Amino acid sequence: GQQRAVGEIVGDVDSALNVPRITGFENHQGVTHLGPGVKPMAKVLSGIGNGDGYEGAYNGHVLGTYMHGPALVRNPGLADLLLRWSTGHDIAPINDSWAGKLREERLNAVLPG
């Protein structure tokens, strides 16, 4: 792509995945064009993502994203989705106040109010 994407990204995940809003860090100059049958993972609220207003992609139980760093730590719902896909079982969410605080801090830093 023409523009390098470096910084925080926030997106609303496709409702079919049943994952809350995602937050992450992107550092790339890639542009993604989705092929037939592939759906965007999330609509970008802040950041660049795929370069078309969306972030990541998925098809069946395969998911891709430009998010670097602790993407699964920041997004326990996304981690739970991947665990459900890989095990075939629902995963009870971990009640971890530190993960929740990190998540809120990142979301509020990028999308205040």
Side-chain angles (χ1 to χ4, degrees):
Q2 303 259 332
Q3 177 184 7
R4 183 155 194 86
V6 179
E8 296 291 322
I9 184 166
V10 176
D12 283 334
V13 178
D14 183 335
S15 61
L17 297 176
N18 195 28
V19 172
R21 182 172 281 170
I22 56 169
T23 173
F25 186 83
E26 60 182 339
N27 182 2
H28 64 92
Q29 197 165 346
V31 175
T32 298
H33 301 282
L34 305 185
V38 179
K39 298 177 185 173
M41 178 180 70
K43 181 168 180 30
V44 172
L45 301 174
S46 178
I48 304 297
N50 298 346
D52 62 357
Y54 293 95
E55 160 54 16
Y58 74 99
N59 185 6
H61 288 176
V62 177
L63 185 140
T65 179
Y66 279 116
M67 292 188 303
H68 291 256
L72 297 178
V73 173
R74 283 190 184 191
N75 303 288
L78 186 60
D80 289 347
L81 172 69
L82 296 177
L83 287 169
R84 275 194 307 277
W85 283 355
S86 64
T87 66
H89 301 287
D90 282 334
I91 306 297
I94 297 172
N95 186 8
D96 182 348
S97 62
W98 286 108
K101 288 178 185 176
L102 171 64
R103 181 175 169 66
E104 281 302 310
E105 188 271 335
R106 289 290 78 211
L107 286 171
N108 289 332
V110 178
L111 298 175

